[in-house]
C-alpha cells in the first residue's frame, strides 16, 4: 500500500506542475492573442445569401436533389451463353464472351429506369465468372443479333457460300458442258477403235457391244438456256454444301486464324438462319436441275451436297483419306455439266466426261496439299487430320504424283477425239509448270515452295480448260461447213432422178 500511495503522489505532483506551467505560458502570451470577439462581427454581419457555405438548409436541399445510390437486385442477373466474340477492340479473338445484363427489376424506392440500371453495370468480355456471382436464378440466353439490310445480307451470304470456290466449281461445270462433242460420231469412232484394239483378244462380240453403246448414247443438247440453268443449279448446290460445312465446323473454325472471321463464327447470323439458307438453296438447286435439265444431273448435285457436307466434313477429323473423298467431290461438277448436255454418263459412249472428271480429281492434290502445308499449324490446332500435319513427306509425294498424272490425262483427250492434236502439245506448258513446282516442293518442303505450287495450280486448271475449248474437235465453223455441204448435196439432183 505504501508503494502505491507513493506512486500516486508522484503522478499528482507531475500533473500539477504541468498545469501550472501551461497557465503561466498562456498568461505571458495573452497580449499577443487576437480575441475571438474581434472576429465574430465578420461572420455575423454577412447576409445568409452571401455565406452559402454556412447555409445548412441549402446544403440539405442540394444533397436531396442529387440522385440517390441505386440498389439493384443482383439475384436476377442474366448471362449470355459463351460464344466467340465478333471483334474485340478491332482484333478478332476466340475467347469466350461473357456479358452481364442488368435485371429487369430495380428497387421500388428508386426513380431510375431499367436502361439506366443496365448502363450502370460493366460489360465483361473474355472473363468467365463463377456461377455463385451470377445469382441463384441465372438464365442462359443467346445474345440478340441485329437485323441486316439487303446489301449486308448479300455480303453475308457470299461468306456462307464461299463465293470464290463456288465460282470455280461452276466454271468446271460449264467446261464439262462446253466440252461435249458437237459430233458424237467422232467420239464413237475413236471409242470403237480403242475397244477393238484393246479387247480384240477377249471373247466379246464387238458388233453387239457397238450396237449397245449406240443405243445407250444420248444426243447432245447444246443450248444456252440449258447451260445457264445447269450453271445456276450447280451454284445453288455448291452454296448449300458450303453452308452446311460451315455449320458443322463452327467450333473448329474459331480456332484457326484463316477461318475465325467467318460469318457463323462471328455470329453475324444465327445457326437457324444459316440452316434455313442451306436447305433452301439445296431444294432450289436440285429442283431446278431436275425440272429444267434432267434427273441425272439433279441426282449428281444431291450426291455432291451429301458427300461434301455429311461425309467429307466429319472425316477431316478422323483420317487423312478425307483428301481423296474431297477430290471426288470436286470431280463431280464436270460430270454434272456433261450429263446436262448428253443425259448419260455411260463409260463406253461418253469417256470424255470421265476423263475431264479425272483431270479435276488429279489437279486437286497439288492445289490442296500446298495450301494445307502453309495452314498445318491451324489444322493441328483444330484437330484436323491432314497429310501436312501427320505425314509431311507423304503430302509432298502425293502432290508430285498427281501433278505427273495430269500429263497422260491431257493426252487422252485428243486420243478420244474431244480435242485436236494441238491440245496435246500445248498442254505440256501448264503441266510442265505444275510438275516443276511440285518437284521443288517435294525436294525442299517449306513455305516458299508450297506457295509457289499453290499459285501454279491456280494458273494450271483455267489454262487447260481454255486450251480445251480452243482446240475442241468439231468447232462451230466446221459444223457450219459440213451442214452447208450436206444442204448442197440435198439440193443437187441425182443422175437416177434425171433419167
Amino acid at each position: 500500500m505504501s508503494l502505491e500511495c507513493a506512486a500516486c503522489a508522484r503522478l499528482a505532483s507531475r500533473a500539477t506542475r504541468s498545469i501550472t506551467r501551461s497557465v503561466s505560458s498562456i498568461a505571458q502570451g495573452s497580449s499577443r492573442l487576437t480575441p475571438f470577439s474581434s472576429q465574430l462581427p465578420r461572420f455575423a454581419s454577412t447576409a445568409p445569401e452571401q455565406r452559402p457555405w454556412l447555409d445548412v438548409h441549402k446544403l440539405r436541399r442540394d444533397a436531396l436533389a442529387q440522385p440517390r445510390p441505386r440498389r439493384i437486385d443482383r439475384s436476377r442477373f442474366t448471362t449470355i451463353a459463351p460464344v466467340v466474340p465478333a471483334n474485340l477492340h478491332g482484333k478478332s479473338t476466340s475467347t469466350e464472351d461473357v456479358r452481364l445484363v442488368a435485371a429487369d427489376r430495380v428497387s421500388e424506392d428508386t426513380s431510375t429506369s431499367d436502361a439506366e440500371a443496365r448502363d450502370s453495370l460493366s460489360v465483361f468480355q473474355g472473363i468467365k465468372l463463377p456461377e455463385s456471382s451470377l445469382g441463384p436464378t441465372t438464365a442462359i440466353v443467346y445474345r440478340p443479333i441485329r437485323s441486316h439490310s439487303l446489301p449486308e445480307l448479300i455480303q453475308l451470304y457470299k461468306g456462307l457460300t464461299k463465293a470464290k470456290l463456288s465460282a470455280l466449281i461452276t466454271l468446271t461445270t460449264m467446261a464439262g458442258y462446253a466440252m461435249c462433242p458437237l459430233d458424237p460420231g467422232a467420239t464413237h469412232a475413236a471409242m470403237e477403235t480403242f475397244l477393238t484394239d484393246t479387247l480384240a483378244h477377249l471373247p466379246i462380240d464387238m458388233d453387239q457391244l457397238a450396237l449397245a453403246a449406240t443405243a445407250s448414247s444420248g444426243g447432245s443438247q447444246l443450248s444456252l438456256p440449258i447451260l445457264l440453268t445447269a450453271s445456276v443449279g450447280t451454284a445453288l448446290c455448291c452454296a448449300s454444301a458450303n453452308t452446311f460445312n460451315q455449320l458443322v465446323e463452327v467450333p473448329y473454325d474459331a480456332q484457326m486464324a484463316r477461318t475465325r472471321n467467318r460469318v457463323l463464327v462471328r455470329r453475324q447470323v444465327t445457326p437457324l438462319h444459316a440452316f434455313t439458307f442451306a436447305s433452301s438453296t439445296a431444294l432450289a438447286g436440285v429442283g431446278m436441275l431436275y425440272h429444267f435439265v434432267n434427273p441425272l444431273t439433279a441426282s449428281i448435285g444431291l450426291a455432291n451436297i451429301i458427300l461434301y457436307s455429311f461425309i467429307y466434313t466429319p472425316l477431316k477429323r478422323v483420317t487423312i483419306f478425307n483428301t481423296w473423298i474431297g477430290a471426288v467431290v470436286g470431280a463431280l461438277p464436270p460430270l454434272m455439266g456433261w450429263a446436262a448436255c448428253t443425259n448419260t454418263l455411260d463409260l463406253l459412249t461418253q469417256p470424255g466426261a470421265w476423263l475431264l472428271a479425272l483431270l479435276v480429281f488429279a489437279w486437286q492434290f497439288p492445289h490442296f496439299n500446298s495450301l494445307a502445308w502453309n495452314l498445318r499449324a491451324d489444322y493441328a490446332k483444330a484437330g484436323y487430320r491432314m497429310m501436312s500435319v501427320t505425314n509431311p513427306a507423304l503430302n509432298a509425294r502425293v502432290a508430285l504424283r498427281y501433278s505427273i498424272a495430269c500429263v497422260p490425262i491431257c493426252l487422252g483427250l485428243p486420243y478420244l477425239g474431244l480435242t485436236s492434236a494441238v491440245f496435246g502439245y500445248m498442254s505440256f506448258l501448264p503441266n510442265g509448270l505444275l510438275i516443276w513446282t511440285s518437284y521443288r516442293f517435294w525436294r525442299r518442303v517449306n513455305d516458299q515452295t508450297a506457295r509457289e505450287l499453290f499459285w501454279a495450280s491456280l494458273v494450271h486448271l483455267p489454262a487447260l480448260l481454255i486450251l480445251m475449248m480452243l482446240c475442241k474437235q468439231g468447232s462451230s465453223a466446221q459444223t457450219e461447213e459440213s451442214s452447208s455441204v450436206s444442204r448442197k448435196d440435198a439440193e443437187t439432183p441425182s443422175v437416177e432422178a434425171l433419167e
Side-chain angles (χ1 to χ4, degrees):
M1 293 294 295
S2 61
L3 294 177
E4 295 176 3
C5 292
C8 291
R10 283 195 297 269
L11 291 175
S13 62
R14 291 178 182 176
T16 302
R17 286 195 299 268
S18 62
I19 291 173
T20 304
R21 193 180 304 113
S22 299
V23 171
S24 61
S25 62
I26 291 174
Q28 293 175 3
S30 60
S31 60
R32 296 190 301 268
L33 296 178
T34 303
F36 179 73
S37 60
S38 63
Q39 300 179 10
L40 184 58
R42 185 179 59 182
F43 293 92
S45 62
T46 306
E49 60 272 9
Q50 297 179 3
R51 46 186 175 90
W53 56 86
L54 292 179
D55 193 347
V56 179
H57 298 287
K58 188 176 186 305
L59 293 176
R60 186 173 182 273
R61 286 195 304 269
D62 294 342
L64 292 176
Q66 294 179 359
R68 300 175 61 183
R70 292 185 287 267
R71 292 183 294 171
I72 302 173
D73 187 1
R74 299 183 63 86
S75 64
R76 295 191 58 189
F77 284 157
T78 57
T79 178
I80 289 181
V83 296
V84 179
N87 195 336
L88 299 181
H89 307 293
K91 296 181 180 179
S92 301
T93 179
S94 60
T95 59
E96 293 183 346
D97 184 11
V98 180
R99 295 175 180 267
L100 291 178
V101 182
D104 296 333
R105 175 167 55 87
V106 184
S107 300
E108 297 180 357
D109 57 348
T110 61
S111 60
T112 57
S113 62
D114 293 345
E116 293 176 349
R118 292 188 183 94
D119 294 339
S120 65
L121 293 181
S122 299
V123 176
F124 299 95
Q125 294 180 338
I127 303 175
K128 186 174 182 180
L129 300 179
E131 296 181 359
S132 59
S133 64
L134 299 177
T137 59
T138 300
I140 298 178
V141 295
Y142 280 107
R143 181 181 61 187
I145 298 176
R146 68 179 183 89
S147 59
H148 301 282
S149 61
L150 182 59
E152 291 176 344
L153 277 178
I154 293 175
Q155 294 299 322
L156 295 178
Y157 288 152
K158 287 175 62 178
L160 282 175
T161 59
K162 304 178 184 177
K164 294 181 180 180
L165 178 61
S166 298
L168 180 61
I169 294 174
T170 306
L171 177 63
T172 59
T173 303
M174 298 174 69
Y177 186 92
M179 284 307 298
C180 286
L182 296 175
D183 184 13
T187 303
H188 294 167
M191 198 63 189
E192 184 178 358
T193 303
F194 172 75
L195 293 175
T196 303
D197 295 340
T198 57
L199 303 179
H201 62 282
L202 297 178
I204 299 177
D205 191 351
M206 298 304 300
D207 296 334
Q208 294 182 359
L209 184 62
L211 181 62
T214 304
S216 62
S217 62
S220 300
Q221 303 177 11
L222 290 176
S223 64
L224 185 60
I226 295 180
L227 173 61
L228 294 179
T229 305
S231 301
V232 174
T234 303
L236 290 173
C237 292
C238 293
S240 175
N242 290 327
T243 305
F244 277 126
N245 169 264
Q246 292 193 46
L247 272 170
V248 175
E249 294 185 339
V250 169
Y252 315 121
D253 288 343
Q255 305 176 50
M256 301 173 60
R258 184 176 67 98
T259 58
R260 65 186 180 187
N261 285 327
R262 285 182 174 174
V263 175
L264 287 171
V265 176
R266 299 174 62 186
R267 298 194 73 246
Q268 293 180 303
V269 297
T270 62
L272 179 61
H273 187 160
F275 180 81
T276 304
F277 174 75
S279 303
S280 302
T281 51
L283 291 175
V286 175
M288 181 180 295
L289 294 175
Y290 183 85
H291 289 286
F292 299 103
V293 184
N294 54 60
L296 177 60
T297 308
S299 62
I300 299 175
L302 180 60
N304 202 346
I305 295 174
I306 297 174
L307 193 61
Y308 183 77
S309 304
F310 306 108
I311 297 178
Y312 163 72
T313 299
L315 286 180
K316 290 169 68 176
R317 297 174 56 84
V318 177
T319 175
I320 62 173
F321 292 105
N322 69 82
T323 307
W324 279 265
I325 297 176
V328 172
V329 175
L332 291 181
L335 294 179
M336 294 176 64
W338 196 286
C341 182
T342 62
N343 197 18
T344 180
L345 291 176
D346 190 277
L347 182 60
L348 297 178
T349 60
Q350 308 295 333
W354 297 98
L355 208 59
L356 278 177
L358 189 60
L359 175 63
V360 178
F361 175 84
W363 169 83
Q364 292 179 80
F365 288 93
H367 173 75
F368 179 76
N369 288 15
S370 58
L371 175 65
W373 171 258
N374 286 327
L375 300 176
R376 63 192 184 280
D378 280 347
Y379 283 138
K381 186 190 305 181
Y384 291 132
R385 297 187 63 84
M386 299 295 176
M387 284 185 286
S388 59
V389 177
T390 60
N391 195 339
L394 178 63
N395 182 72
R397 288 199 304 271
V398 169
L400 179 60
R401 291 171 186 171
Y402 283 95
S403 298
I404 298 174
C406 291
V407 175
I409 295 174
C410 291
L411 294 178
L413 293 174
Y415 183 79
L416 292 176
L418 294 178
T419 62
S420 62
V422 178
F423 172 77
Y425 297 105
M426 297 183 67
S427 64
F428 282 107
L429 294 176
N431 286 332
L433 175 64
L434 188 68
I435 293 174
W436 171 247
T437 53
S438 299
Y439 175 76
R440 284 172 51 83
F441 179 61
W442 173 68
R443 290 290 296 175
R444 183 176 298 176
V445 181
N446 53 45
D447 293 347
Q448 180 180 357
T449 55
R451 198 174 298 110
E452 292 175 355
L453 176 57
F454 176 75
W455 287 108
S457 66
L458 292 180
V459 175
H460 175 264
L461 185 62
L464 283 180
L465 295 179
I466 292 173
L467 288 176
M468 283 181 198
M469 287 182 280
L470 291 177
C471 301
K472 181 181 177 181
Q473 192 78 297
S475 60
S476 58
Q478 294 177 355
T479 304
E480 291 178 359
E481 182 179 356
S482 61
S483 61
S484 62
V485 171
S486 62
R487 284 196 299 269
K488 290 180 180 179
D489 293 341
E491 293 173 357
T492 303
S494 61
V495 178
E496 297 177 356
L498 291 175
E499 292 177 353

